[in-house]
């Protein structure tokens, strides 16, 4: 079961200050469950795990589509950006071999999942098309609005490639769409082309959508158990429910601690992992917290590091730089494999004292050593630990972070469910690209460029 330990913040924030937030946290929880807070039209994620488990027909349809696509594909390309891809990638990466792309389909027991439309890289997409020339593949396109530029233009090129390769009727069987129930360009396209479609509920925003078909379809297609993922999340849904006590609710403890640290000037939170498998969990977390909290001139800046790799780069800054940071370490209890350091007769590196030790034992000591060094260097530490990287534990972690994020947003006094700030770059990009309807903005921006 997921655990949160905040003991290593008490040298920076008195314990009673954290506990004095009990009432404010209770108010935030009440706003969530009674739907009285800002953005309450986007609270569908609160009961998603139990709701999804109860909807056995939809779960079966997701699994059937996933295994149909997996059966005809060496590769499945997931097209989406932000909340429409990060959650799936976080879970798939965490559960997969670090060298998944070098394994055969038989070894993986599932197709390789690749991603498109999460950037506008010309080389990236052209190189992907060349790989797909010689592979059997399918596409899962995910976009709530259906008009987001990055996935929309990626879909154009991939759809064209797929239709050339398999013919129009063949391509239609290889493309599945996850989108809005009735509105939006992707819904219209999917209906007219006969793609199998899945719905992103209206009341679930992109970054809270990993436990909808947005995440579940790609995760199932990658060969992972979505029932166990949802069961883990449902357990956490129960633990974090409205009537659970302040102290027994890990989401409350995490939200209250980071809010206290923020009020002490700790404006940057660094989420640190000690295994590369969780790098995309960190990326997903960055979006969840960054987009939910960073508004109205407020918010903790979410940063991520991958230790021990980054101890040899960012470690210096964290140990010794501006003291406006705190660190949250995401600890994974056990590894799936066993690898021990061999003895070496010459002992030139003088590391024979490590002979016979598992890599994970050494990594654990690196983690403990880092914690002590960083706390002594003036960096408060929150520890979040899960037993292992499996579907159930990851499901718990996802729900925990989502719930704590909503409580955090309400403590901060912002709407955690909107993202008005992401429109600014789009407006400028469309103006620069002369999108019809943007004539005035286009004139203005070209004027600015001449200055
Ligand atoms: O969290 C969000 O709302 C965003 O990250 C969106 O998911 C992202 O912009 C993609 O939007 P769409 O699904 O409409 O293509």
């Amino acid at each position: 079961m997921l655990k949160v330990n905040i003991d290593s913040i008490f040298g920076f924030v008195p314990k009673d200050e954290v506990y004095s937030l009990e009432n404010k946290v209770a108010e935030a929880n009440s706003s969530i469950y009674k739907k009285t807070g800002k953005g309450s039209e986007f609270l569908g994620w609160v009961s998603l795990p139990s709701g999804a488990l109860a909807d056995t027909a939809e779960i079966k349809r997701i699994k059937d589509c996933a295994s149909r696509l997996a059966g005809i594909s060496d590769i499945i390309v997931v097209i989406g950006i932000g909340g429409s891809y990060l959650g799936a990638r976080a879970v798939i990466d965490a559960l997969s071999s670090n060298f998944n792309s070098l394994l055969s389909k038989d070894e993986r027991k599932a197709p390789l999942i690749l991603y498109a439309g999460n950037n506008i890289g010309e080389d990236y997409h052209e190189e992907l098309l060349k790989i797909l020339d010689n592979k059997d593949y399918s596409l899962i396109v995910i976009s709530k609005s259906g008009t987001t530029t990055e996935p929309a233009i990626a879909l154009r090129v991939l759809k064209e490639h797929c239709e050339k390769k398999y013919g129009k009727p063949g391509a239609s069987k290889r493309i599945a769409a996850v989108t809005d129930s009735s509105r939006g360009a992707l819904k219209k396209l999917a209906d007219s082309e006969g793609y199998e479609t899945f719905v992103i509920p209206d009341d679930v925003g992109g970054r809270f959508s990993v436990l909808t078909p947005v995440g579940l379809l790609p995760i199932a297609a990658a060969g992972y158990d979505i029932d166990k993922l949802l069961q883990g999340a449902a357990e956490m849904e129960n633990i974090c429910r409205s009537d659970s006590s302040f102290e027994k609710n890990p989401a409350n403890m995490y939200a209250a601690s980071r809010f206290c640290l923020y009020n002490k000037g700790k404006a940057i939170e660094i989420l640190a992992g000690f295994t590369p498998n969780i790098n995309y969990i960190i990326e997903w977390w960055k979006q969840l917290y960054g987009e939910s909290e960073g508004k109205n001139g407020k918010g903790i800046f979410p940063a991520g590091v991958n230790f021990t790799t980054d101890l040899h780069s960012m470690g210096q800054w964290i140990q010794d730089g501006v003291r406006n940071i705190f660190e949250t370490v995401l600890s994974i209890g056990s590894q799936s494999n066993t690898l021990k350091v061999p003895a070496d007769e010459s002992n030139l590196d003088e590391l024979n004292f490590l002979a016979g030790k598992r890599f994970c034992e050494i990594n654990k000591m690196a983690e403990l050593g880092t914690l002590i060094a960083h706390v002594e260097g003036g960096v408060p530490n929150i520890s979040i630990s899960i037993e292992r990287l499996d579907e159930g534990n990851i499901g718990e972690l996802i729900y925990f972070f989502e719930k704590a994020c909503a409580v955090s947003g309400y403590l901060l006094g912002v709407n955690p469910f909107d993202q008005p700030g992401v429109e600014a770059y789009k407006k400028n990009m469309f103006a620069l690209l002369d999108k019809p309807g943007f004539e005035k903005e286009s004139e203005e921006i070209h004027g600015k460029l001449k200055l």
Side-chain angles (χ1 to χ4, degrees):
M1 190 49 67
L2 179 146
K3 289 196 173 62
V4 172
N5 184 335
I6 61 167
D7 290 351
S8 297
I9 70 165
F10 295 140
F12 305 88
V13 180
K15 193 171 180 174
D16 54 7
E17 215 169 297
V18 178
Y19 281 74
S20 73
L21 283 174
E22 184 167 353
N23 288 342
K24 267 181 168 284
V25 167
E27 275 167 35
N29 273 290
S30 154
S31 305
I32 293 168
Y33 291 100
K34 292 189 180 147
K35 300 195 174 186
T36 52
K38 292 176 183 164
S40 59
E41 66 278 27
F42 289 109
L43 285 166
W45 57 271
V46 176
S47 54
L48 253 183
S50 53
L53 280 171
D55 192 351
T56 47
E58 185 64 354
I59 293 293
K60 181 173 180 314
R61 201 166 72 84
I62 292 172
K63 287 184 194 165
D64 287 349
C65 177
S67 67
R68 180 175 64 75
L69 297 180
I72 52 174
S73 314
D74 301 319
I75 290 175
I76 294 180
V77 183
V78 174
I79 306 170
I81 195 165
S84 287
Y85 106 100
L86 277 167
R89 186 162 193 175
V91 176
I92 293 167
D93 272 23
L95 295 171
S96 301
S97 158
N98 288 287
F99 303 97
N100 220 18
S101 63
L102 298 177
L103 301 177
S104 68
K105 188 178 172 187
D106 283 347
E107 287 167 321
R108 263 195 316 270
K109 300 184 188 71
L112 179 65
I113 308 295
L114 297 178
Y115 302 89
N118 57 17
N119 65 74
I120 316 181
E122 188 157 342
D123 285 347
Y124 182 95
H125 287 91
E126 177 58 20
E127 284 160 17
L128 174 62
L129 292 175
K130 290 210 173 92
I131 294 289
L132 297 178
D133 280 343
N134 304 315
K135 301 280 182 190
D136 275 318
Y137 72 93
S138 301
L139 307 174
I140 298 177
V141 52
I142 306 169
S143 177
K144 193 167 182 181
S145 61
T147 51
T148 307
T149 309
E150 292 90 337
I153 61 175
L155 177 61
R156 282 190 180 211
V157 291
L158 284 157
K159 177 175 177 286
E160 185 181 70
H161 187 278
C162 195
E163 286 173 354
K164 270 195 194 139
K165 188 166 169 138
Y166 299 106
K168 232 175 174 336
S172 297
K173 292 194 179 67
R174 287 177 178 267
I175 303 178
V178 184
T179 188
D180 185 87
S181 61
S182 53
R183 300 178 300 265
L186 181 56
K187 175 66 184 157
K188 279 196 198 106
L189 176 77
D191 285 348
S192 75
E193 302 281 349
Y195 303 156
E196 182 156 13
T197 54
F198 294 88
V199 169
I200 308 175
D202 276 347
D203 57 358
V204 181
R207 58 189 174 275
F208 287 84
S209 69
V210 52
L211 300 174
T212 72
V214 169
L216 298 178
L217 181 61
I219 293 166
Y224 299 111
D225 189 333
I226 56 172
D227 292 318
K228 287 193 179 142
L229 185 79
L230 288 167
Q231 276 151 13
E235 273 178 47
M236 191 51 69
E237 179 188 328
N238 193 34
I239 289 168
C240 293
R241 68 193 187 282
S242 54
D243 59 349
S244 59
S245 79
F246 178 62
E247 212 173 0
K248 290 204 177 113
N249 181 329
N252 286 350
M253 294 312 283
Y254 177 50
S257 305
R258 54 198 301 287
F259 184 65
C260 285
L261 290 165
Y262 177 68
N263 287 334
K264 290 266 180 286
K266 308 293 181 191
I268 300 170
E269 177 176 10
I270 301 175
L271 185 64
F274 278 80
T275 176
N277 293 72
I278 64 169
N279 286 354
Y280 264 89
I281 291 186
I282 295 174
E283 289 305 310
W284 170 81
W285 169 88
K286 275 162 61 180
Q287 188 208 357
L288 182 64
Y289 281 75
E291 224 170 43
S292 300
E293 288 190 305
K295 51 197 72 160
N296 309 342
K298 301 187 208 178
I300 297 171
F301 182 85
V305 286
N306 158 31
F307 290 159
T308 61
T309 311
D310 290 334
L311 285 171
H312 297 259
S313 57
M314 295 302 290
Q316 171 60 38
W317 201 103
I318 296 169
Q319 187 68 45
D320 225 6
V322 187
R323 302 296 75 186
N324 60 351
I325 56 173
F326 66 98
E327 196 166 53
T328 298
V329 173
L330 179 50
S331 287
I332 313 300
S334 64
Q335 295 276 293
S336 314
N337 298 286
T338 302
L339 183 65
K340 291 182 178 171
V341 177
D344 183 88
E345 216 172 285
S346 66
N347 196 27
L348 286 176
D349 55 12
E350 297 179 4
L351 290 176
N352 265 351
F353 72 98
L354 296 178
K357 284 206 190 308
R358 286 184 63 183
F359 273 53
C360 66
E361 294 174 75
I362 301 169
N363 209 14
K364 194 73 211 158
M365 293 310 118
E367 188 178 320
L368 274 177
T370 305
L371 188 155
I372 294 165
H374 287 180
V375 171
E376 284 177 359
V379 182
N381 183 286
I382 298 172
S383 159
I384 297 168
S385 50
I386 59 171
E387 284 156 27
R388 66 185 69 80
L389 286 175
D390 62 14
E391 289 92 333
N393 279 282
I394 294 172
E396 280 179 26
L397 185 68
I398 287 170
Y399 192 88
F400 157 78
F401 272 139
E402 290 180 349
K403 182 71 198 301
C405 182
V407 174
S408 292
Y410 283 159
L411 287 177
L412 202 59
V414 300
N415 176 353
F417 308 114
D418 67 0
Q419 54 283 329
V422 301
E423 295 308 315
Y425 98 90
K426 288 186 197 166
K427 194 183 90 186
N428 288 346
M429 178 177 76
F430 290 145
L432 288 164
L433 289 165
D434 298 320
K435 181 174 175 172
F438 281 71
E439 290 75 12
K440 194 168 146 279
E441 288 86 352
S442 192
E443 203 177 304
E444 271 170 24
I445 202 158
H446 284 294
K448 281 184 200 165
L449 289 175
K450 277 188 206 119
L451 291 177

